[in-house]
Amino acid sequence: MAFYLQPRPRTWDLGLDYHMVKQFEVDVTLDPTTAGPEVILSEDLKEATWGRPDHRWPEGPARFDTDPCMLGREGFTSGRHYWEVEVNGRFWTVGVALESVQRKGRVLFQPNPEIWGLQKYDELCVALTSPSNTLVPLLNGEIGVYLDYEVGQVSFYAVGSRQRIFTFPVASFSGEKVFPYFCVLLSTIKLSPKN
């Protein structure tokens, strides 16, 4: 007798609630080789703050050279993954990005086909949808990020209320590695430890 696995449906509105995605929680740390200028990283690589670091990050092809952005150290080419990040400040971005994301020149405040993220600036919060941003409820505090690589789903959750805030239309990552993505401008982000 043969058993066949049914493929998961390719639909962007799977309705996964907070408790369902929480079971896919992974531990995420920040990658110092990607940290842009004016990013101060904690020793444990779990926190990034906008400011002037004690030392200048060495140049390299992986580094964001203009904006205070960075990637997570862990990248994904398959599976389902979830992590939480506490955000505070005026301008920040949290989401996922392709490994090939543009790292030279301006990245902030514009939709980018290589980034699926939420961005706050002052009293506005938007999803970086293309061709123009989509307004979402204003967020502060902890945000959950859920990635289902095979389905092409990226969703965001307000951890405090356990509510899903936004799901991007189905994406195709084309076999490319996807990384957690963060920007801090007049802000701080802190990755929550895996429970």
Side-chain angles (χ1 to χ4, degrees):
M1 180 183 278
F3 292 94
Y4 297 98
L5 291 175
Q6 291 289 331
R8 282 181 274 150
R10 261 189 94 74
T11 171
W12 66 270
D13 191 9
L14 296 179
L16 292 178
D17 71 16
Y18 173 80
H19 299 288
M20 289 175 75
V21 299
K22 184 85 170 157
Q23 68 183 314
F24 300 107
E25 192 166 17
V26 293
D27 197 38
V28 172
T29 53
L30 301 168
D31 183 353
T33 67
T34 65
E38 300 182 317
V39 173
I40 300 169
L41 295 177
S42 64
E43 233 175 271
D44 65 359
L45 301 177
K46 289 286 195 180
E47 189 172 335
T49 303
W50 183 77
R52 300 214 182 275
D54 295 336
H55 61 283
R56 188 164 166 78
W57 298 111
E59 293 302 319
R63 185 162 318 288
F64 289 90
D65 72 344
T66 305
D67 291 325
C69 302
M70 73 227 75
L71 299 177
R73 191 174 261 175
E74 302 77 14
F76 309 107
T77 54
S78 66
R80 295 189 265 185
H81 312 277
Y82 173 82
W83 58 94
E84 294 177 350
V85 57
E86 186 178 338
V87 293
N88 290 296
R90 289 183 56 197
F91 305 101
W92 50 256
T93 308
V94 170
V96 301
L98 293 178
E99 187 171 26
S100 62
V101 67
Q102 171 194 324
R103 301 176 197 212
K104 308 306 177 193
R106 288 272 165 225
V107 179
L108 290 174
F109 311 122
Q110 57 193 5
N112 184 322
E114 301 169 324
I115 298 170
W116 295 262
L118 295 185
Q119 188 166 75
K120 179 193 174 200
Y121 44 98
D122 282 333
E123 297 306 309
L124 281 178
C125 194
V126 298
L128 295 174
T129 50
S130 201
S132 60
N133 294 332
T134 302
L135 202 60
V136 296
L138 186 62
L139 288 170
N140 276 309
E142 280 190 288
I143 297 173
V145 182
Y146 172 68
L147 165 69
D148 184 329
Y149 191 96
E150 282 78 13
V151 171
Q153 182 181 12
V154 180
S155 295
F156 297 88
Y157 295 78
V159 174
S161 65
R162 311 280 195 262
Q163 296 296 310
R164 185 164 52 119
I165 307 224
F166 185 81
T167 298
F168 275 84
V170 171
S172 172
F173 305 125
S174 305
E176 191 173 340
K177 195 174 276 193
V178 175
F179 288 85
Y181 171 80
F182 312 92
C183 274
V184 290
L185 180 59
L186 303 173
S187 297
T188 297
I189 60 109
K190 185 174 185 179
L191 287 155
S192 304
K194 179 182 169 186
N195 289 333

